Amino acid sequence: MTTSREVRLKSRPHGTPSPENFEIVSVELPDPGPGQVQVRNTWMTVDPYMRGRMNDVRSYTPPFQLGEAMQGGAVGKVVKSADPSLKEGDLVQSFLGWREAFNAPAGAVQRLETHGLPPQAFLGYAGMPGLTAYVGLIRIAELKDGDVVFVSGAAGAVGSLACQIAKIKGHTVIGSAGGPEKVAYLKEIGVDHAIDYKAENDLTAAVMRAAPEGIDVYFENVGGAHMEAALMASRPFARFALCGMISEYNNTDLGRGVRGLIMAVGKSLTLKGFIVSNHTDMQAAFVKDLASWAASGKLKPRETVKEGIEAAPEAFLGLFKGENLGKMLVKLG
Ligand code: NDP
């Protein structure tokens, strides 16, 4: 028997989640049965979309079940194998995060080829958040030469890669994030106008100062005042890639709405939402571009790392308090 600790959803939050919504439970794992592997996770990710899964509502991903281990991306090592396709020591990726170890059919994990990148990169800039930035800019916003690009949540996992892709492609980039440390990072990755939105009384005025001629593309991660600033600062025919609105995820109702949406009519704006899992056909192009950008040293990814399974709820809650610079990760074992 192997002991593993896992994080379970203890109760559903009403509004902002708290540590009381989670519980950490020890389980005993027998040896894997035929066709199964036993994996010990080395890294797991916490992501904003998991907040929606804590609610008992139907969405594009099913809700977490009360009393059951939560799920999410993880990388780990096969420690026991009863399937010929995988052997002890293989590095694998799965959606069975939020636990130290697990038994699963071999088909529930994917062997991970790192191509020289650190394994945890595949939970961040080389994984789902990276593909999200790529899809949002290239397919959804239809990035064109000369576009001025505004990114909110710019120092986070998705936002920081969106800024870097836009810079690599030669665009003027405006990035908004909370606090001086994040602004310093935005400058380090080449963002032309880094806005500390927490220090601004008038975010719309700050974006308009940064882009006196207006913005052509808005990469939306935050919602609320950021969306309003983008609507006011956009040029005619600007395109909005609506990736996320984290400032709204803990609302208990539909919120106060977006002021200035009328701008979308007069300026002929395109506002387009997307979910990355509907665009996996772009994975091959993303991997090719990412490999060349990484090889040329053009990417400066950052991570915020919490240690141990017991820190996973705190890491997740930290996303809603801006505690991460770059990708928020939990290192296990
Ligand atoms: P981040 O790494 O950006 O972490 C979340 C950040 O959001 C925090 O660090 C904080 O940064 C900011 N934030 C939190 N609460 C607020 C608030 N009330 N107001 C303003 N900013 C806030 O997360 P990800 O990069 O993983 O995700 C970014 C966005 O992309 C999220 O909205 C997420 O849901 C979305 N997403 C969408 C996908 C899709 O398929 N459409 C896929 C993946 C992510 P700061 O300190 O700057 O405030």
Side-chain angles (χ1 to χ4, degrees), residues 45-50 60 128-133 152-160 176-179 182 195 197-198 219-223 226 242-250 273-279 318-328:
T45 172
V46 290
D47 298 278
Y49 79 89
M50 294 168 177
Y60 62 95
M128 183 278 281
L131 180 63
T132 303
S152 60
V158 174
S160 63
S176 170
K182 294 190 179 187
I195 297 172
Y197 75 90
K198 288 184 176 166
F219 195 109
E220 166 70 303
N221 285 316
V222 166
H226 280 86
L242 305 184
C243 173
M245 298 189 181
I246 193 168
S247 71
E248 317 240 338
Y249 295 174
N250 293 321
F274 72 103
I275 294 297
V276 66
S277 52
N278 294 326
H279 299 275
L319 292 171
F320 300 92
K321 296 185 260 182
E323 288 176 358
N324 58 307
L325 178 57
K327 181 74 191 100
M328 182 72 100

Side-chain angles (χ1 to χ4, degrees), residues 77-99:
K77 278 206 172 134
V78 174
V79 287
K80 292 178 188 168
S81 178
D83 188 89
S85 67
L86 289 165
K87 62 180 188 317
E88 199 182 313
D90 282 349
L91 195 59
V92 291
Q93 192 164 14
S94 76
F95 289 103
L96 292 164
W98 292 94
R99 65 204 85 196

Side-chain angles (χ1 to χ4, degrees), residues 97-239:
W98 292 94
R99 65 204 85 196
E100 292 177 310
F102 61 86
N103 287 345
V109 305
Q110 297 83 45
R111 195 195 305 271
L112 181 62
E113 305 291 346
T114 61
H115 304 287
L117 297 178
Q120 72 274 21
F122 293 86
L123 302 174
Y125 67 97
M128 183 278 281
L131 180 63
T132 303
Y134 189 84
V135 166
L137 278 181
I138 291 165
R139 176 171 285 169
I140 307 300
E142 299 181 29
L143 198 61
K144 294 199 291 272
D145 286 352
D147 282 342
V148 174
V149 179
F150 173 38
V151 181
S152 60
V158 174
S160 63
L161 197 69
C163 289
Q164 292 177 82
I165 293 173
K167 281 314 300 173
I168 288 167
K169 290 182 170 288
H171 296 273
T172 298
V173 177
I174 303 159
S176 170
E181 192 195 358
K182 294 190 179 187
V183 162
Y185 171 57
L186 294 184
K187 290 180 178 161
E188 190 189 319
I189 59 176
V191 167
D192 302 276
H193 304 278
I195 297 172
D196 176 357
Y197 75 90
K198 288 184 176 166
E200 294 289 344
N201 290 326
D202 185 341
L203 183 57
T204 300
V207 178
M208 284 176 145
R209 271 197 310 277
E213 308 290 318
I215 59 166
D216 304 286
V217 164
Y218 175 47
F219 195 109
E220 166 70 303
N221 285 316
V222 166
H226 280 86
M227 178 66 161
E228 291 170 10
L231 285 164
M232 297 307 288
S234 58
R235 267 205 267 250
F237 303 103
R239 289 95 61 209

